[in-house]
Amino acid sequence: MAVIFDKSISGRQGVRFPTSDVPEPAPLGEAYRRDGDAPLCELTELDVMRHFIELSHKNFSIDSGFYPLGSCTMKYNPKLLETVANMPGFANLHPFLPQLRRGCMLTQGALHVLYELEHQLCAIAGMDAFTLQPLAGAHGELTGLMLIAAYHRSKGNDKKEVLIPDEAHGTNPSSAAIAGFTTRSIPTDPETGMLNVDALATMVNDQTAAIMLTNPNTLGIFNSDVDKVVEIAHRFDAQVYYDGANLNAILGKFRPGDAGIDVMHINLHKTFATPHGGGGPGAGPVGVQEHLVPFLPTSRIEKRDDSTYQLNYDCPESIGYIAPFYGNFGVLLRAYAYIMSMGREGLIEASENAVLNANYLMNILKTKYDLPYDRTCMHEFVISAKNQVKHGVHAIDIAKALMDYGFHPPTVYFPLIVKEAMMIEPTETESKETLDAFAEAMLAIADRAEQEPGTLHAAPSSTCVNRPDELKAAKDMDFAHLD
Ligand SMILES: *Cc1c(COP(=O)(O)O)cnc(C)c1O
């Protein structure tokens, strides 16, 4: 595939400048002048347009096709949110504009959005306060664990260990380690697919700083024992952290705060519809109960008696800065606009449809694919390529083959406790027709695995890159071989 510089033709021009009608400025000093022309590519406007349109067609996005990437919640992002995010009063805000000075109201609208969003999240999650500072889910986890560390420090508790279920997202143990804790894995019960509460009870002790819980967990199963986990933890003054990266299944149905969860994060870019992927953009607000509020990062948004807003930096017990500016304001704004446009009933309906869609698909796919935890699922489910492995076909082959049918592959080889895992999250924004077309492709691939497994090893054949050598890609950072 040619890069734009390969297409350059000497002398081609895309822009013509009018003859200058102002006096020539004095020439730059010798030291500041180039030896030759700048190495730019020479193309017409049409050449440039075609090049980038062609590239954009090689890209897969939720706007171009079904994208059932489990745990990542790739749902349709209504374009209304883009209109709101592009309003000049928001889009052109500068972080150094004054909050409120001598009648200058330039940032009051943005502060109003932040204030309202915090209160909406409190209502949705049943928590007492949220910080909107963290820039991603993993960043939220780190913030939450730093809050827990600050809480224990303030009480003189010497607690070093965080307990994490073995199905958890990899960011959980990483965040705990970065926050200075050691970690231990809680086993999942093979029957229920939920963390084993009896095992947990034997693991919690004076050393336990926190338990991290994901619910629904990464198997897509709702843990009905949350209150028991909280009760066990609180016996030892351990805090319960809730990984709320995916709230798609529980909006209006379950509030972590009501179950006694102490601290949690929410991925706004997943549940509240910001286009995301490839590492950003994101927002991972962290919610806490009253006893953790003093430790929240600066700044805090406050409403004054005259109904104007301010950022308060005077928080003596705060863990300090997590991110100095609200650089993710666009994500926060989209989440606010999404919640406002959906309303309470709309959010509940979204969750119900997300769960319905996942169960519909799961029940079709389990006719040909192994379903290790055969229970009603929430917003996602995990199947395994175990039946196909007998024919030499692995999860990676099925994922690659799906691309030839026009679908984005699901998340594969995660969670780690399921061999040959394929984690499928259809989301509420997909129609029955799309789900049926995807199911048909998956069943056709299962048939091919039995009848002509070799063809699946060669897939995909319709994409511009078929199977990169993953080992080489990781070890040899010279990308020349991708020509
Ligand atoms: C996506 C996800 C995270 C991490 O969120 P990022 O925004 O990618 O940092 C953490 N936990 C779970 C369960 C997730 O799905």
Side-chain angles (χ1 to χ4, degrees):
M1 203 176 68
V3 299
I4 195 163
F5 283 89
D6 298 336
K7 296 182 178 174
S8 178
I9 294 168
S10 179
R12 281 284 153 83
Q13 251 181 303
V15 186
R16 268 169 236 281
F17 294 105
T19 323
S20 172
D21 57 0
V22 293
E24 287 275 325
L28 280 177
E30 196 62 40
Y32 301 109
R33 266 186 267 167
R34 275 199 187 87
D35 296 335
D37 287 339
L40 300 175
C41 50
E42 299 176 75
L43 292 165
T44 66
E45 182 175 319
L46 179 59
D47 293 332
V48 174
M49 189 55 75
R50 289 201 175 138
H51 178 78
F52 285 108
I53 293 291
E54 188 198 338
L55 281 186
S56 76
H57 286 173
K58 295 191 192 315
N59 213 359
F60 193 96
S61 71
I62 188 67
D63 290 347
S64 56
F66 184 50
Y67 205 143
L69 198 60
S71 204
C72 296
T73 314
M74 302 307 254
K75 62 191 197 181
Y76 176 68
N77 306 296
K79 296 300 166 258
L80 168 69
L81 312 182
E82 296 310 303
T83 309
V84 173
N86 284 312
M87 287 163 77
F90 290 129
N92 299 334
L93 273 181
H94 190 280
F96 283 137
L97 276 174
Q99 294 173 40
L100 182 70
R101 197 182 330 132
R102 286 186 227 106
C104 169
M105 300 283 279
L106 291 174
T107 55
Q108 284 294 307
L111 294 177
H112 172 86
V113 168
L114 298 179
Y115 183 86
E116 289 296 322
L117 177 63
E118 176 176 346
H119 287 83
Q120 287 168 344
L121 296 180
C122 286
I124 286 169
M127 304 302 281
D128 289 328
F130 264 88
T131 171
L132 304 176
Q133 292 273 345
L135 302 169
H139 198 201
E141 291 169 26
L142 177 63
T143 306
L145 287 153
M146 287 168 71
L147 293 171
I148 291 172
Y151 166 79
H152 288 310
R153 255 198 319 275
S154 78
K155 295 189 80 179
N157 291 343
D158 183 27
K159 290 168 173 281
K160 289 278 173 288
E161 192 174 63
V162 175
L163 304 178
I164 303 170
D166 56 5
E167 44 72 26
H169 199 276
T171 50
N172 287 193
S174 317
S175 301
I178 296 172
F181 294 107
T182 58
T183 62
R184 208 149 42 111
S185 205
I186 312 164
T188 297
D189 186 311
E191 288 304 312
T192 62
M194 304 188 324
L195 75 83
N196 187 320
V197 178
D198 295 335
L200 174 71
T202 65
M203 294 171 75
V204 183
N205 56 41
D206 290 335
Q207 280 294 301
T208 315
I211 298 171
M212 294 181 89
L213 200 69
T214 307
N215 201 22
N217 67 14
T218 67
L219 297 164
I221 292 171
F222 186 80
N223 189 331
S224 44
D225 287 338
V226 199
D227 47 349
K228 284 190 209 146
V229 173
V230 171
E231 193 266 316
I232 293 169
H234 286 174
R235 265 187 236 158
F236 293 88
D237 201 15
Q239 299 289 286
V240 185
Y241 185 95
Y242 180 98
D243 180 339
N246 312 108
L247 286 198
N248 232 31
I250 60 162
L251 295 169
K253 301 287 177 187
F254 168 69
R255 303 198 318 162
D258 295 340
I261 299 293
D262 299 291
V263 49
M264 68 179 292
H265 83 268
I266 300 176
N267 278 20
L268 297 187
H269 44 295
K270 291 179 182 170
T271 306
F272 299 104
T274 272
H276 64 108
V286 169
V288 293
Q289 301 281 13
E290 193 67 47
H291 63 286
L292 294 172
V293 171
F295 309 113
L296 286 174
T298 49
S299 55
R300 302 279 305 129
I301 296 139
E302 292 173 358
K303 194 174 192 171
R304 296 192 184 96
D305 292 340
D306 65 356
S307 290
T308 59
Y309 300 92
Q310 67 178 1
L311 295 174
N312 180 7
Y313 292 86
D314 183 17
C315 315
E317 289 187 88
S318 164
I319 59 168
Y321 279 126
I322 282 297
F325 297 108
Y326 288 89
N328 55 350
F329 181 72
V331 182
L332 303 173
L333 178 58
R334 284 178 181 84
Y336 173 73
Y338 178 77
I339 292 168
M340 293 299 278
S341 66
M342 296 289 280
R344 185 188 148 78
E345 297 310 317
L347 292 177
I348 292 174
E349 206 180 322
S351 273
E352 289 175 352
N353 285 334
V355 173
L356 182 63
N357 278 359
N359 279 284
Y360 178 72
L361 210 45
M362 179 180 82
N363 279 288
I364 301 178
L365 297 188
K366 78 179 188 186
T367 58
K368 298 261 171 156
Y369 290 91
D370 177 59
L371 178 64
Y373 297 92
D374 191 355
R375 301 187 47 188
T376 303
C377 68
M378 299 300 284
H379 60 300
E380 65 192 5
F381 58 94
V382 177
I383 54 173
S384 156
K386 201 168 133 192
N387 302 339
Q388 289 69 36
V389 169
K390 289 179 210 136
H391 308 285
V393 171
H394 293 264
I396 189 76
D397 302 313
I398 296 163
K400 297 288 183 191
L402 270 171
M403 295 160 83
D404 285 336
Y405 292 83
F407 298 111
H408 195 286
T411 300
V412 290
Y413 298 110
F414 180 78
L416 303 176
I417 58 169
V418 174
K419 286 212 174 69
E420 297 287 337
M422 289 179 281
M423 184 193 217
I424 298 174
E425 179 176 8
T427 82
E428 76 281 6
T429 57
E430 298 298 334
S431 66
K432 180 171 179 297
E433 290 74 20
T434 302
L435 300 182
D436 286 338
F438 176 75
E440 203 176 303
M442 285 293 284
L443 298 180
I445 292 170
D447 288 341
R448 280 171 63 192
E450 285 172 28
Q451 291 149 20
E452 40 173 15
T455 62
L456 295 172
H457 297 140
S461 57
S462 60
T463 52
C464 60
V465 176
N466 44 14
R467 285 221 194 186
D469 182 335
E470 286 178 18
L471 192 64
K472 198 166 180 189
K475 290 197 159 179
D476 174 6
M477 299 311 264
D478 171 11
F479 290 107
H481 62 272
L482 276 180
D483 278 353

